[in-house]
Amino acid sequence: PWSPTEAAPLKRIRGSVLGIVGLGRIGTATAQRAKALGMDVAFYDPYKQDGYDKANGVRRVETLEELLKQSHAVSIHCPLTEETRHLLNTDTIALMPKGSYLVNTARGGVVDTACLPDAIVSGRLAGAGIDVFEWEQPPPDDPVVKAWRDPDHPACHRLLVTPHCAFYSEQSLIDLRV
């Protein structure tokens, strides 16, 4: 049937909390766009100077746990370091509200992607957008790749997987060359 209920349940994003991990240049640009959509933007970045939150109209939280517990969607924008490797994993994703979303366009190793299909099947995550993996060419037995390629897997249609090309457009290729 042709009905909006086919996409249910859909929730309005205005007023929901977007949690940003890493508020550098790209994290800040993401925050500004989310604010324009009416989202409440909170960020966790222990290296960001004081006052940045007020200057940009976003909320700082002091711990990753505090950010995850309140975020309806989490967007990753931090570098991959020993400190951030698998920062998002089974335990930290379990802190997020049921039905949340996770997006990683930063670096693959920040998220332990092996736990994502189970988090989606359990309902902890409503979906995930993954533009980066720990390896440039993820192995075919990677749990996210397997779930994404299997139309019968319960997480298949809740995963958006791209090959580190979130930047891509014909114009961006020209900009890169310039």
Side-chain angles (χ1 to χ4, degrees):
W2 187 259
S3 167
T5 59
E6 291 298 308
L10 286 179
K11 297 176 184 155
R12 178 177 288 166
I13 63 171
R14 176 174 296 285
S16 65
V17 177
L18 174 65
I20 296 179
V21 178
L23 202 66
R25 191 183 44 157
I26 297 171
T28 299
T30 302
Q32 296 304 318
R33 284 156 178 79
K35 282 178 37 181
L37 294 171
M39 296 183 85
D40 175 14
V41 179
F43 78 95
Y44 170 70
D45 189 333
Y47 300 103
K48 204 60 163 169
Q49 64 272 22
D50 287 339
Y52 199 82
D53 49 337
K54 301 214 180 346
N56 286 282
V58 296
R59 293 185 298 113
R60 176 191 292 271
V61 297
E62 297 303 320
T63 66
L64 177 65
E65 291 76 18
E66 183 183 354
L67 181 79
L68 297 176
K69 286 179 180 179
Q70 64 183 284
S71 297
H72 301 104
V74 172
S75 189
I76 309 296
H77 300 283
C78 62
L80 176 61
T81 65
E82 284 309 311
E83 183 181 14
T84 63
R85 181 171 299 284
H86 290 183
L87 189 66
L88 276 288
N89 56 55
T90 301
D91 295 334
T92 54
I93 289 171
L95 298 172
M96 296 172 67
K98 200 164 181 65
S100 303
Y101 292 89
L102 175 64
V103 177
N104 186 12
T105 59
R107 293 292 176 250
V110 176
V111 175
D112 178 8
T113 56
C115 69
L116 295 181
D118 287 343
I120 292 170
V121 170
S122 74
R124 174 58 53 198
L125 291 178
I130 304 298
D131 183 54
V132 287
F133 287 87
E134 288 193 55
W135 304 272
E136 198 61 35
Q137 293 289 325
D141 62 342
D142 180 281
V144 167
V145 174
K146 284 174 65 173
W148 174 67
R149 286 189 170 147
D150 179 0
D152 295 325
H153 192 287
C156 175
H157 300 290
R158 300 244 171 227
L159 286 165
L160 177 61
V161 179
T162 55
H164 203 175
C165 65
F167 77 96
Y168 179 78
S169 70
E170 294 298 319
Q171 294 79 8
S172 68
L173 292 179
I174 294 168
D175 290 344
L176 283 172
R177 284 186 233 135
V178 171

